Amino acid sequence: MPADSILQSPIEYLKGVGPQRGDLLRKELNIHTFGDLLQHFPYRYVDKTRVFPISAITPHMDTVQVRGRLIELEESGIQKAKRLNGILQDDTGTLDLIWFQGVQWAKKGLTKGGEYLVFGKVTWFKNRAQITHPEIEPVDTENVGGKNFLEPVYPTTEKLKQKFITGRAIGKLVAALLPQLSPSDLPEFMPVSVLQQMGLMQRFDAIRHIHFPPNMDLANAALNRLKFEELFLVQLRLNEVKIKRHRTSRGVVFPTVGENFNTFYNHHLPFPLTNAQKRVIKEIRSDTARGHQMNRLLQGDVGSGKTIVALLCMLIAIDNGFQCCLMAPTEILARQHFEGISELLKPMGVPVRLLTGSTRTAERRELLEAAADGSLPILLGTHALIEDTVQFKKLGFVVIDEQHRFGVEQRAKLWQKADIPPHVLVMTATPIPRTLSMTLFGDLDCSVMDELPPGRKPVTTVHRLESARHNVMEFARQQIDLGRQVYIIFPLIEESEKMAYENLMRGYENVKAFFPEPRYWISMVHGKMDPAEKDTNMMRFKNGETQIMVSTTVIEVGVNVPNASVMIIESAEKFGLSQLHQLRGRVGRGSEQSFCILMTGHKLTAEARERLKIMCQTNDGFKIAEKDMELRGPGDIEGTRQSGLLNFKLASLVNDSALMEQAQRMALQILEKDIELMMNENLPLRYHLLNQKGKTEWSKIS
Ligand code: ADP
Ligand code: MG
């Protein structure tokens, strides 16, 4: 946009605005310039394209435009309770008009017997249609055929409304601005090839028509163009980063698959891999052989077997003379990985060590030395791994488990530990909808493991009311008596840690009353506990010394106790869908049939009911993630809240996934031919992007 463009004009200079309203528009809606106003889009239109006969008004109509003669106009009531009643009549019938407010003012503008054009929201009273506080104006030569347009309604705020800048008044401002613009003020920047393939409306027309569409078809075409534009620009940026990294980043090369991998694969693999596991290993294998840094996100539902994939890839790195590390978000998880991986590698004689906050000084020193002199091939740990004291001789492969708990900077620190950045595999069991990952992680390569190992029985999920508590506990007892273990989860109460704690304690006492010692033993874990105590309790449950784990959501991620077959979630309505799914993933890890019981009281919101229903219907994490986004909106999905990438004005990650796919395809088509956007047809796009830069905050993973 050239600096002298009319779009840069301060908003107060627009006719009908002025300094005071200008100030409000700036503060309330972030509208500083004419251009900003154009980017403030209506969210719906009021149909004023038709004038209805009064007899055609039906209860299904929301608003209606009619024309008729005001045959009655009468004031009634006294002082504060004054009202004005009118009756409008056309050839087909009559309609009541009512004013409770501004009676004097309304009366002044109206004449009994005059002909009027009336618009408003229809309500029904004693089987008669009526409009309260209608828009009403005398019929003259200009409006005799009705107003004939789709009137835009804009988002506004309470403060603005008080100053009469209502959702519809903003339309009047836009209407004042549009005639001052010519196509050169809103030049097209979309390459012709994209416009043609997508059949898109020109930019200038799209902006005009989204504000004042001649009909709904054109309104939709304008909306489609502008949504596509938003998605396309984001996809361009993300894929530019990705393609450039593919082409130009330096990365260590793993040319061979050697003895470690082969021996393990052929002799020590405890089970055949699923096809999804094989596919992901192939993807990583080809990434790491090319000489560019891999940045791969592996999404796999709980229990899909990500650990073994990570291990096999680490063996490839070791075969090529590199060291590896794996970082987990908690001590328990790190230790679990350590135990599992040590066990698997025992017959191979590959050294594995664990570094956490509680690693003793002497051991730590020895272990750091081994990492630094290159003699230690695999180091596992918590974020203790990113401390400066941890140095590797030849770090080639980094695995980060349960990604969403780590900050971007923390991760970057890990790969600064090598001259050439190591390959990075980020693993997460929080499935996110495809549109969201295309946006948030569009600059990463993504792998999805959409298959569970064979023989897993899907967890049976039921919803039970408080009144069934006794039966639920009896059921848990049966399971325990069969040798199984049980989780009982209490919600974190966000407003008050104290309340959460008391709630948990009360729950614990109740559980204890059902399951008395010494026949039953209970572990408890909560956020207020010190880490060592937490660990002890966790380990006792893991080792089968306790049969019941009472806990807040701290055990959410990754903990593996295959013998646990019952997950009872208290106040289940307080949990989000993906959290419920994560919790459910703690059971169903063994060969026994497992159960998830969602406990709630009788009173539930419609949304909570919907969540519980979905949980009972499906075990598919991706389906649940889609639903979750649908119910809560993308901004609330865990870990995405701060991302500027999600601030689409028009496009919706829930409803526009097809358009997003197309936008990505078009972006790739352009970038693969012309990554710098230097070809003539792409230059306008290049300039548009340059102008936009700095306006969006880009959250980067890598
Ligand atoms: P997650 O993806 O949730 O991290 P894990 O890697 O912890 O899952 O694997 C869950 C369980 O499934 C582990 O006990 C693991 O040994 C087992 N497992 C993994 N892959 C397979 C497979 N292909 N066949 C059978 N069991 C498997
Ligand atoms: Mg895991």
Side-chain angles (χ1 to χ4, degrees), residues 306-307 337 401-402 558:
K306 295 183 289 295
T307 316
H337 276 310
D401 198 19
E402 302 305 346

Side-chain angles (χ1 to χ4, degrees), residues 340-556:
I341 290 175
S342 307
E343 186 65 31
L344 286 166
L345 290 182
K346 206 186 275 165
M348 308 262 306
V350 176
V352 185
R353 301 295 291 265
L354 175 70
L355 177 70
T356 71
S358 52
T359 306
R360 299 256 160 76
T361 318
E363 193 190 349
R364 173 183 296 254
R365 194 178 309 128
E366 182 203 336
L367 174 164
L368 290 178
E369 241 164 57
D373 69 18
S375 60
L376 177 63
I378 300 181
L379 181 59
L380 311 177
T382 55
H383 44 269
L385 288 177
I386 63 180
E387 281 162 24
D388 291 336
T389 48
V390 185
Q391 292 296 331
F392 293 88
K393 177 139 192 253
K394 223 179 158 191
L395 183 62
F397 196 79
V398 172
V399 182
I400 298 171
D401 198 19
E402 302 305 346
Q403 167 272 331
H404 58 280
R405 300 236 170 154
F406 277 110
V408 179
E409 298 85 32
Q410 287 178 309
R411 270 176 267 143
K413 269 195 173 172
L414 262 177
W415 49 97
Q416 282 155 11
K417 293 184 187 293
D419 298 337
I420 300 179
H423 300 298
V424 180
L425 178 66
V426 173
M427 307 198 293
T428 174
T430 312
I432 56 175
R434 184 165 155 71
T435 51
L436 196 57
S437 75
M438 278 172 75
T439 317
L440 279 176
F441 307 126
D443 58 338
L444 297 185
D445 300 294
C446 289
S447 293
V448 173
M449 292 213 306
D450 46 7
E451 188 186 349
L452 292 182
R456 291 272 166 80
K457 296 198 181 93
V459 179
T460 302
T461 304
V462 294
H463 172 203
R464 290 287 178 266
L465 298 174
E466 197 51 46
S467 48
R469 174 166 299 278
H470 190 80
N471 291 345
V472 170
M473 288 301 162
E474 274 311 314
F475 175 74
R477 194 198 305 277
Q478 281 167 23
Q479 287 284 308
I480 292 171
D481 293 347
L482 286 170
R484 316 276 140 70
Q485 286 164 284
V486 175
Y487 288 104
I488 304 178
I489 308 294
F490 287 83
L492 270 176
I493 298 174
E494 268 181 27
E495 312 87 68
S496 156
E497 207 181 313
K498 190 162 160 275
M499 264 167 70
Y501 181 72
E502 283 168 3
N503 194 29
L504 179 75
M505 285 310 164
R506 214 173 311 121
Y508 175 71
E509 291 306 326
N510 288 341
V511 174
K512 224 171 157 181
F514 262 104
F515 298 100
E517 293 171 6
R519 184 149 167 226
Y520 302 99
W521 296 96
I522 305 173
S523 277
M524 181 167 59
V525 171
H526 58 78
K528 273 192 169 174
M529 240 172 210
D530 75 55
E533 198 184 349
K534 213 189 265 179
D535 260 33
T536 313
N537 275 296
M538 196 63 229
M539 291 321 283
R540 289 186 67 209
F541 185 65
K542 227 182 136 168
N543 299 335
E545 293 162 39
T546 58
Q547 299 100 326
I548 300 168
M549 164 61 80
V550 172
S551 146
T552 52
T553 50
V554 286
I555 54 126
E556 199 179 323

Side-chain angles (χ1 to χ4, degrees), residues 270-274 277 300-308 336-337 401-402 429 449 453-454 456 558 560 562 589:
F271 34 66
L273 296 181
T274 64
Q277 286 171 322
D301 212 339
V302 276
S304 60
K306 295 183 289 295
T307 316
I308 196 89
Q336 191 172 286
H337 276 310
D401 198 19
E402 302 305 346
M449 292 213 306
R456 291 272 166 80
N560 195 17
R589 308 196 133 223

Side-chain angles (χ1 to χ4, degrees), residues 253-293:
V253 194
F254 302 164
T256 50
V257 172
E259 207 189 314
N260 283 302
F261 180 92
N262 287 327
T263 308
F264 185 80
Y265 195 85
N266 295 323
H267 303 295
H268 304 299
L269 205 55
F271 34 66
L273 296 181
T274 64
N275 287 327
Q277 286 171 322
K278 284 185 197 157
R279 191 185 63 233
V280 172
I281 291 170
K282 271 201 199 112
E283 284 167 353
I284 296 173
R285 168 91 190 92
S286 96
D287 277 0
T288 52
R290 289 180 311 126
H292 300 301
Q293 188 200 15

Side-chain angles (χ1 to χ4, degrees), residues 460-466 468 472 569 572-573 596-602 604 608-609 612-613 615-616:
T460 302
T461 304
V462 294
H463 172 203
R464 290 287 178 266
L465 298 174
E466 197 51 46
V472 170
I569 303 177
E573 76 278 9
C596 175
I597 302 169
L598 307 170
M599 299 292 298
T600 73
H602 284 268
L604 289 172
R609 238 172 248 287
L612 298 168
K613 194 174 104 199
M615 285 299 295
C616 296

Side-chain angles (χ1 to χ4, degrees), residues 89-305:
Q89 182 182 49
D90 69 3
D91 295 342
T92 67
T94 60
L95 169 74
D96 292 343
L97 306 178
I98 296 156
W99 289 262
F100 299 106
Q101 283 156 13
V103 167
Q104 292 310 322
W105 187 77
K107 203 174 75 177
K108 230 183 269 168
L110 300 172
T111 339
K112 191 165 154 183
E115 200 183 5
Y116 290 92
L117 190 65
V118 169
F119 179 88
K121 194 170 162 55
V122 184
T123 51
W124 291 77
F125 184 70
K126 291 191 178 159
N127 266 336
R128 275 184 65 79
Q130 61 180 40
I131 297 181
T132 308
H133 298 139
E135 290 172 37
I136 180 163
E137 56 187 85
V139 172
D140 56 31
T141 48
E142 281 197 5
N143 66 10
V144 65
K147 291 292 252 191
N148 197 18
F149 77 130
L150 290 165
E151 186 184 34
V153 185
Y154 295 81
T156 184
T157 67
E158 278 312 312
K159 268 199 181 147
L160 284 170
K161 275 192 219 160
Q162 283 164 17
K163 299 285 174 204
F164 305 106
I165 309 181
T166 61
R168 287 159 67 191
I170 293 172
K172 303 220 164 73
L173 303 180
V174 179
L177 172 58
L178 283 178
Q180 302 179 45
L181 302 178
S182 68
S184 63
D185 293 312
L186 290 160
E188 185 55 74
F189 58 77
M190 201 66 88
V192 178
S193 64
V194 176
L195 283 175
Q196 278 173 353
Q197 286 176 77
M198 294 293 305
L200 296 177
M201 186 184 268
Q202 285 283 331
R203 182 158 174 247
F204 178 68
D205 294 332
I207 294 279
R208 276 192 315 154
H209 289 338
I210 194 153
H211 291 289
F212 286 97
N215 56 52
M216 264 332 274
D217 284 347
L218 285 171
N220 288 330
L223 182 64
N224 185 59
R225 145 81 208 217
L226 294 168
K227 277 182 178 179
F228 179 84
E229 180 179 312
E230 276 187 321
L231 297 169
F232 177 72
L233 292 175
V234 165
Q235 288 301 323
L236 262 185
R237 284 186 198 279
L238 291 169
N239 286 288
E240 184 203 294
V241 173
K242 182 154 130 186
I243 292 174
K244 279 193 175 156
R245 193 183 60 243
H246 284 177
R247 290 190 187 166
T248 62
S249 74
R250 286 202 308 157
V252 292
V253 194
F254 302 164
T256 50
V257 172
E259 207 189 314
N260 283 302
F261 180 92
N262 287 327
T263 308
F264 185 80
Y265 195 85
N266 295 323
H267 303 295
H268 304 299
L269 205 55
F271 34 66
L273 296 181
T274 64
N275 287 327
Q277 286 171 322
K278 284 185 197 157
R279 191 185 63 233
V280 172
I281 291 170
K282 271 201 199 112
E283 284 167 353
I284 296 173
R285 168 91 190 92
S286 96
D287 277 0
T288 52
R290 289 180 311 126
H292 300 301
Q293 188 200 15
M294 175 186 81
N295 258 287
R296 190 167 277 281
L297 175 73
L298 171 55
Q299 288 185 63
D301 212 339
V302 276
S304 60

